[in-house]
């Protein structure tokens, strides 16, 4: 069973097109082991799309997208290939 090992909260309205927010997500994902997950909180569909598209494009697995009003929790894990590199 996967467990959340880190949480990144981007709900403060930070522009996701800058390096900082996606860089924070990338840093949180670095070194994930098998069954480890990062939870990313964003606000709104545009930010949800930005994070999930970036994750997929960079080989991470989008495990779950849970919407609570306009807030969204995205669970990200390493790809099977990345886990195999450990």
């Amino acid at each position: 069973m996967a467990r959340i090992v880190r949480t990144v909260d981007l709900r403060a309205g930070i522009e996701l097109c800058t390096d900082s927010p996606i860089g924070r997500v990338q840093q949180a994902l670095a070194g994930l082991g098998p069954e480890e997950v990062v939870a990313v909180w964003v606000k709104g569909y545009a930010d949800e799309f930005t994070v999930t598209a970036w994750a997929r494009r960079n080989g991470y697995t989008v495990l779950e997208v849970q919407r609570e009003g306009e807030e969204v929790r995205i669970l990200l894990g390493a790809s099977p290939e990345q886990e195999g590199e450990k």
Side-chain angles (χ1 to χ4, degrees):
M1 177 180 221
R3 66 184 173 93
I4 297 171
V5 294
R6 295 178 200 100
T7 299
V8 179
D9 191 345
L10 302 176
R11 293 175 285 186
I14 298 171
E15 179 64 40
L16 287 179
C17 291
T18 64
D19 290 337
S20 180
I22 291 297
R24 288 172 50 197
V25 173
Q26 185 174 19
Q27 187 174 39
L29 288 164
L32 277 186
E35 303 298 320
E36 294 182 333
V37 175
V38 171
V40 181
W41 283 93
V42 297
K43 241 182 172 178
Y45 177 75
D47 292 350
E48 172 192 336
F49 177 81
T50 299
V51 170
T52 56
W54 175 87
R56 288 180 179 119
R57 187 173 56 248
N58 286 280
Y60 296 99
T61 303
V62 178
L63 300 168
E64 179 180 295
V65 176
Q66 181 180 9
R67 293 171 190 84
E68 298 176 12
E70 72 175 54
E71 295 185 346
V72 182
R73 183 180 79 160
I74 305 164
L75 297 182
L76 301 175
S79 70
E81 296 80 25
Q82 291 166 327
E83 289 177 355
E85 294 173 3
K86 297 267 172 228

